[in-house]
Amino acid sequence: MSADPAPPTRRSTELRRLLEIVALCGLVVAQPLLDVVGRSPDFFLFHGAGTAEILLLVAFYVVVPPLVCWLPGALIGLAGPSVRRTVHLVTVGLLLVALAVQVGKHLLPVRGLPLLAAALLTGVAVTWAYRRWLGLGQLLRLAAVGPAVFVVLFVFTSPASAVVLGSEQTSAGPGTATGDGRHPPVVVLILDELPLLSLLGPDGRIDAERYPHFAELAAGSTWYRNATAVSGWTPYALPAMLSGRYPEREVAPHYSQHPDNLFSALGGTYQIRAQESITELCAPSRCEAEPTTAALPVLFQETAALLGQILSPVESHDDPTASFREPTRRDAGLTGAALVGADAPTDPRFRFDALDDNQPARFTTFLDGLATPDQGPTLHFLHLLMPHAPWSYLPSGVRYEAPEDFPNEGAGWVELARQRHLAQLGYTDGLIGQTLAALRSSGRYDDALLVVTADHGVSFTLGEQGRGMGAVRAAPAEVLWVPTFVKEPGQQTGRVDDRNWEHVDLLPTIAAHAGIDLPFEVDGRCGTCPPRERVDKQFRDVPGEPVTVPGPATYTALTTGQAGPPLPAPLVPELVGRPVVELPVTDDGIRATVSNASSYTDVDPASGNLPALAYGELPDQVATGAPLAVAVNGRIATVVPALAPDAEGRRFAALITDESLWRSGDNRVEIFEVVDAGTELRRRTD
């Protein structure tokens, strides 16, 4: 007669519980997180994360969450086995609810409280089944191998594997110098998310009044006015520009995946001073690695925010992997005296003001490089995330704050988004001016090859805001056509070239002017070569899937002022600038709410920050479309329409660009409804 099996020891029971929690944490935390960041290698490239940092991040999310969930229960279990069983059951139940939220977001149309309620019911039901049937526990313990599988897939098969395991592959080698032996300084400034349309006046020329430095650039360079992007996503668009090849594979924008590019071609002849923001196309053998002292803390910060979105029953409209936020000195923990002599951090929020910790390292390093004498032929390269969203700058460079969930779509809201984009473009124009001034002061301007362009545009067409295929079909002029200026060495006067330029032409054009023969084949052709015969445009929203976009008709509409949404006509422009006391004001006692009213106290204009965006809620009595006068310190700054409510109930928003209206200390912002054809105001705020 066989003996009964020995009861499980406490140690073996705890091991089983730990394995069950490992399995659930793998499904709730590790798998979804690694899936998102694994599909976004640019996330790691942007933060300058190396292999060690990425693997530490992965290890943290695989190991720490299970321990955090298991250890408190194990300690509480010292009070007795029944208490321990209860705590473990609650832990399993909560993890099952979190898992049910994620599954529900994929399977159900509901969000918020209805989804959370459904997840709670599901979690309770599965927890009851887990307690009743031992087989579910056994299945969970078998699933504990899952996190290891997720890590292997992330490291070896995800698009991010190129960053984790990246090595310099053998390429065609550097380009060879052409016979004339002339290698001018090469300066390449690539902007981000800038439609050519935003720069143009109604005559199809650069609006010199709004953008004097872009106009100055055009007056001394070759303007390829018919230039278009080949993709609407930077990790595909920029490698195409720098490799001369259309995007054919969904791979990381990394030198291991694109070994033949601008940096490898010029690297045999040119020294390289490169500032990349989202890509890492310049291999370490040719470019110095950028300092990443705060990369790991910021990676934890960004992935924690991403995990919060994954676990939330509310749908997020933000893509955390597209935020492209780099550490400031404050993020790195450098304050006070520690700032003196510290390496400048990078900050893509681009707070260009007088505060030392808010200067963007990429642009200042780029300008410093232009001021430093070159030791032989040198390539100066900068990819600058301007005027890319988030839009937070007035043309002067003064910064303002806006809620992260501020809408960019919908009637009225998309017009405001475009206004904010144009204001930030005005600031970008100032950066172009600084670049031109730096080249002239260093004596490089006349001899240099200067290239200024953008990787893609963006649509502000109502209903199709953005850069996806819907926007491409509805507003190709806004998404594809981008400013492209090439000042050739020795060029003194500007000219317009209307050839069918596509951004794969950028590399061969640079190589031709730099006196370099490319050692590899490209899809593009140089700007001095015979133009392509094809007139339509090639665009790849998905690599390897070319879409043909009509060229001549769109280009004609663009250059004759018929493409894209017109700038909204000012509402009651005769009111702007007038003192409120000059107008009769009625009062029905019904008030609006200024959501950011607290920001108007203790204002310091000298700080480089102003509360230039006013927004809030309106009473139902104010009809959508009704004109609203926004007054600052008793003077009307702008008139805007009342809007349909956004997801947060906001019904008005106004960008106040007149900085002279603000004063130090407390300021008064008032909202009035404009009535009687602009001859009278109705008070809507106290």
Side-chain angles (χ1 to χ4, degrees):
M1 186 173 181
S2 61
D4 292 333
T9 64
R10 178 181 175 185
R11 179 177 297 178
S12 64
T13 300
E14 283 303 327
L15 178 60
R16 292 176 183 177
R17 289 169 176 159
L18 177 59
L19 290 175
E20 292 169 3
I21 290 177
V22 166
L24 287 171
C25 285
L27 293 171
V28 171
V29 177
Q31 190 280 330
L33 194 63
L34 295 181
D35 176 62
V36 173
V37 298
R39 288 184 281 109
S40 305
D42 47 297
F43 174 74
F44 295 112
L45 296 176
F46 185 78
H47 293 297
T51 300
E53 290 166 314
I54 297 173
L55 292 179
L56 280 173
L57 184 78
V58 171
F60 176 88
Y61 282 110
V62 169
V63 174
V64 172
L67 288 179
V68 169
C69 291
W70 169 80
L71 191 56
L75 295 176
I76 293 173
L78 298 176
S82 61
V83 174
R84 179 66 184 103
R85 284 193 297 270
T86 301
V87 171
H88 180 67
L89 199 63
V90 170
T91 303
V92 168
L94 292 175
L95 290 172
L96 287 170
V97 170
L99 181 60
V101 166
Q102 296 180 43
V103 174
K105 287 168 78 170
H106 288 286
L107 300 180
L108 302 176
V110 297
R111 294 294 184 269
L113 288 177
L115 176 59
L116 183 58
L120 284 169
L121 290 174
T122 302
V124 169
V126 178
T127 303
W128 177 84
Y130 160 81
R131 182 185 179 190
R132 184 176 180 86
W133 294 303
L134 297 178
L136 286 181
Q138 294 173 343
L139 185 62
L140 274 180
R141 292 190 288 275
L142 289 174
V145 71
V149 174
F150 304 147
V151 171
V152 170
L153 293 175
F154 170 82
V155 171
F156 293 102
T157 68
S158 74
S161 65
V163 184
V164 182
L165 304 175
S167 62
E168 295 190 43
Q169 300 177 354
T170 302
S171 70
T176 56
T178 56
D180 58 22
R182 291 181 296 176
H183 304 294
V186 177
V187 180
V188 180
L189 174 56
I190 297 180
L191 304 172
D192 205 297
E193 201 173 68
L194 173 55
L196 174 61
L197 179 67
S198 295
L199 288 175
L200 300 183
D203 59 356
R205 298 180 179 274
I206 304 297
D207 188 334
E209 182 176 351
R210 293 173 65 99
Y211 311 112
H213 298 296
F214 275 105
E216 177 189 359
L217 175 62
S221 64
T222 301
W223 177 15
Y224 291 95
R225 193 166 53 175
N226 194 17
T228 51
V230 298
S231 177
W233 195 40
T234 300
Y236 298 153
L238 200 55
M241 297 166 70
L242 301 190
S243 70
R245 294 168 176 161
Y246 293 109
E248 298 295 346
R249 299 181 300 137
E250 298 186 36
V251 295
H254 191 259
Y255 58 81
S256 66
Q257 305 299 312
H258 302 277
D260 299 325
N261 59 53
L262 171 69
F263 305 115
S264 64
L266 270 61
T269 304
Y270 278 76
Q271 297 181 24
I272 298 176
R273 296 176 180 172
Q275 296 285 320
E276 296 183 77
S277 292
I278 297 172
T279 60
E280 193 176 330
L281 296 170
C282 193
S285 62
R286 292 186 171 90
C287 291
E288 293 183 5
E290 297 177 27
T292 59
T293 54
L296 194 56
V298 175
L299 282 178
F300 279 121
Q301 176 182 330
E302 296 291 310
T303 50
L306 169 58
L307 186 60
Q309 293 186 19
I310 290 172
L311 296 176
S312 173
V314 178
E315 191 72 69
S316 172
H317 297 289
D318 297 326
D319 178 3
T321 64
S323 63
F324 299 136
R325 184 183 184 280
E326 295 181 276
T328 63
R329 293 188 177 193
R330 187 173 290 113
D331 292 330
L334 302 175
T335 57
L339 290 172
V340 179
D343 290 337
T346 47
D347 182 2
R349 293 183 184 273
F350 294 99
R351 291 171 285 189
F352 287 87
D353 54 53
L355 300 178
D356 185 58
D357 63 336
N358 289 336
Q359 294 180 357
R362 296 196 189 282
F363 187 71
T364 53
T365 300
F366 177 68
L367 288 184
D368 289 345
L370 295 181
T372 304
D374 293 337
Q375 304 298 320
T378 303
L379 164 64
H380 301 262
F381 177 91
L382 172 64
H383 172 213
L384 187 65
L385 291 175
M386 290 287 277
H388 193 290
W391 307 298
S392 54
Y393 286 91
L394 300 179
S396 67
V398 165
R399 188 184 182 199
Y400 63 92
E401 296 290 342
E404 292 185 1
D405 61 352
F406 217 61
N408 297 329
E409 298 179 327
W413 296 107
V414 69
E415 287 82 5
L416 176 65
R418 188 182 184 200
Q419 183 185 4
R420 296 175 61 202
H421 156 78
L422 293 176
Q424 191 146 298
L425 177 55
Y427 182 61
T428 307
D429 180 74
L431 303 184
I432 297 297
Q434 292 184 47
T435 302
L436 295 175
L439 283 171
R440 290 193 172 99
S441 64
S442 69
R444 287 190 183 88
Y445 181 83
D446 289 338
D447 295 333
L449 169 66
L450 170 62
V451 177
V452 178
T453 186
D455 57 351
H456 54 70
V458 63
S459 166
F460 292 96
T461 295
L462 181 61
E464 293 294 353
Q465 204 274 329
R467 295 175 269 128
M469 279 308 300
V472 169
R473 295 187 184 96
E478 295 180 82
V479 180
L480 269 70
W481 272 260
V482 291
T484 300
F485 305 97
V486 178
K487 190 208 79 66
E488 302 171 9
Q491 185 172 359
Q492 299 294 322
T493 59
R495 68 186 183 91
V496 175
D497 190 323
D498 285 338
R499 73 177 58 216
N500 183 13
W501 171 290
E502 296 180 351
H503 256 345
V504 289
D505 300 338
L506 186 67
L507 173 61
T509 299
I510 293 174
H513 289 301
I516 298 294
D517 284 330
L518 293 175
F520 47 82
E521 295 295 323
V522 295
D523 297 323
R525 57 182 64 195
C526 70
T528 57
C529 301
R532 58 174 50 87
E533 297 179 0
R534 170 170 53 80
V535 296
D536 289 333
K537 299 291 188 175
Q538 291 288 314
F539 187 83
R540 285 164 170 77
D541 184 59
V542 176
E545 299 181 12
V547 175
T548 299
V549 177
T554 307
Y555 177 60
T556 300
L558 180 67
T559 54
T560 57
Q562 301 174 31
L567 286 173
L571 291 178
V572 204
E574 61 271 19
L575 287 181
V576 176
R578 293 188 63 180
V580 172
V581 295
E582 292 183 357
L583 297 162
V585 178
T586 61
D587 193 337
D588 61 7
I590 300 173
R591 297 291 185 253
T593 300
V594 181
S595 300
N596 59 331
S598 61
S599 65
Y600 300 116
T601 61
D602 197 24
V603 173
D604 180 10
S607 69
N609 294 269
L610 288 173
L613 187 67
Y615 54 90
E617 302 174 9
L618 295 172
D620 295 338
Q621 287 81 354
V622 179
T624 298
L628 305 172
V630 181
V632 177
N633 297 319
R635 190 173 293 273
I636 297 176
T638 185
V639 180
V640 298
L643 305 175
D646 72 348
E648 299 300 319
R650 292 176 288 233
R651 290 197 58 211
F652 75 88
L655 184 64
I656 302 165
T657 57
D658 186 351
E659 299 172 23
S660 67
L661 297 174
W662 302 101
R663 63 194 180 200
S664 296
D666 294 346
N667 290 255
R668 187 174 79 258
V669 174
E670 300 170 285
I671 310 298
F672 301 91
E673 184 178 359
V674 181
V675 294
D676 288 343
T679 61
E680 183 179 330
L681 303 179
R682 181 175 293 127
R683 185 175 299 280
R684 288 302 180 195
T685 53
D686 294 320

